[in-house]
Amino acid sequence: IEERAADASTPRAGPIPPSQRSDMVGSAEGVTEMAFDASVLRERDFRDTRRRIQLLARLPDIVAGSVDDEELLVRVSDTLLRATPSASAVAIVRANVPEPMGAGDEKPSNEHPSKMKVLHYDCRENGAQQHSVSSRLVTTALQRRESVLHLWETERNGGIEFTAAENVDWAFCVPLRSEACAGWAIYVAGSRALGSNWKELADDSATLADRLGDDVKFAEVVGSLISGIRQTSHFQQRHLAMRRFFAPVVLDALSGQDPQSWLQPRQCDLSVMFCDLRGFSRTSEMQSDQLLLLLEQVSAALGVMTRHILDTGGVIGDFHGDAAMGFWGWPIELQLSDPHSDLSASAHVVASVLAAARAAAGIRMDYAMGQTEFRCGIGIASGSAVAGRIGTVDQVKVTAFGPVVNLASRLEGLTKHFGVEVLMDHASASALQAWLGQDEFTEEPSPFRLRKLGRVRVAGMKIPVDVYQLVVPSGGTQDLTDSQIDAYEQGWDEFAKGDWDSAYQRLLELPAWDRPKDVLLRLILQHHRIAPSGWEGVLDFPK
């Protein structure tokens, strides 16, 4: 038993005799406090079992029919008033309280909640004055995570002025135990004078507490139902929000797991893709007086990309105006169709290439049909990165971080210089080539082809990288043949070795519409077909 003073909003009563304090937490001058363990309440039988069961049977339909939180709280308060004859008022409150007590704590904190808001208040008599809600009772119940009852007597020492005015001599508080109802509690106050045949209990607080135990248990059941409904709604809303960024296969694999856990940043192998819309600046200048129409066109074009990211098990990482970023390999590892393949590490690379090829073909088709003014440039890079919930205390987002992310962004920018749709780094190209080399692709044409465009040093990076073009067939006259791809790669080898005259002759064999060769020819002509002194075989692309 702990002795402590009641706060100004808690009416006072005499203590219960020690012989009757079976579940009493504390008694101080003017107030008796009793806590109800949830497991004990579950074992307790209702006195009026038939009536309680009838109320509980109707409760799911009453509560589930609520269209929003406001209507839910109205229905819950009305149900509690009907189920508790001696209750004069019901309130649903939300409070910020100190941390719950640990096992070694001897008593709850006397601190009041920093903020307590009455979400809904209902009373039995229309127009009756609203009772004050005891902040100490709410704090104690939320801290203990147990239902707590306060008892007092209005006749003690001539009565207490404010309790007589409010006509209440008991109150209990039931905390709601779910993430979606953090800090929520049901507060019920009333008078024994309102209950039938309860007047004889005026001098028997222990018996009164036992009678009220039925009402506390019923309120616990109602609170569990509210918590369950709001938790389910919370999960549904979170699931819908995550569907915008995570593929269904990812969400299914993670169902039942705590998002706070798997969203934590961790290092893993990723394939990262950046997609930028070509022609945005020109189109925005032409449509400066129709910006909403421009936004719709950009959203539709980016929608082609994001749809294929999600369809291949990727994550939508970020948007930058007319560009989108996606990545594969987090929060779960993707698997190839053959579970026995030793190329499982290539799964996220293959997925990123599938998404890039399909998106490039889709945007290209829309452009050809006049449905959009945009083309696209896509960069893909693979390697180690940190993925998860990343940001500052003010703003966080699910994305990826690391040099491989920067490289993917730089490769996307290089698509403008080379005049191609999709570029990838050596790691991605090697993984794709290994996958294409499996037996299942040897009897029919490969769905993808790669062309090594050269060795480049991108802006902001010192180490040069080999870049490859993903040749996405268009079905038209400007599709590269295998011999043309070989001719370019031989021309590049000669160019890298410094034999610029031979490279020039070989590159001239390529069709006029092939843009990558122009990058090499331009540099060759600028130096009159002679490699400059100190030539390293690397193309520099400064910012």
Side-chain angles (χ1 to χ4, degrees), residues 70-145:
E70 184 177 355
E71 185 175 352
L72 173 65
L73 300 185
V74 170
R75 293 188 176 200
V76 165
S77 300
D78 181 69
T79 300
L80 287 170
L81 280 175
R82 292 174 183 271
T84 315
S86 59
S88 58
V90 172
I92 312 295
V93 301
R94 183 179 64 217
N96 296 329
V97 298
E99 289 295 318
M101 294 194 312
D105 293 332
E106 297 181 357
K107 60 182 181 179
S109 168
N110 286 332
E111 296 181 30
H112 289 249
S114 57
K115 288 183 180 180
M116 185 173 71
K117 180 180 180 181
V118 177
L119 302 176
H120 181 72
Y121 181 91
D122 198 2
C123 58
R124 189 172 298 280
E125 298 180 6
N126 293 331
Q129 182 180 1
Q130 179 172 328
H131 302 322
S132 59
V133 176
S134 169
S135 60
R136 185 176 300 279
L137 175 54
V138 172
T139 301
T140 301
L142 289 173
Q143 268 197 297
R144 291 185 178 279
R145 299 182 67 83

Side-chain angles (χ1 to χ4, degrees), residues 194-225:
L194 296 175
S196 80
N197 301 322
W198 279 33
K199 291 184 179 180
E200 68 272 15
L201 302 178
D203 296 324
D204 191 352
S205 295
T207 305
L208 172 60
D210 185 55
R211 292 284 183 93
L212 286 171
D214 277 17
D215 299 321
V216 174
K217 177 174 181 175
F218 186 84
E220 282 260 8
V221 175
V222 173
S224 297
L225 185 61

Side-chain angles (χ1 to χ4, degrees), residues 25 40 50 105 175 210 250 266 319 343 416 436 451 471:
V25 172
V40 174
R50 182 176 179 181
D105 293 332
D210 185 55
V250 174
R266 60 184 175 87
F319 290 97
L343 299 173
K416 297 178 183 179
L436 294 175
R451 172 167 62 162
V471 181

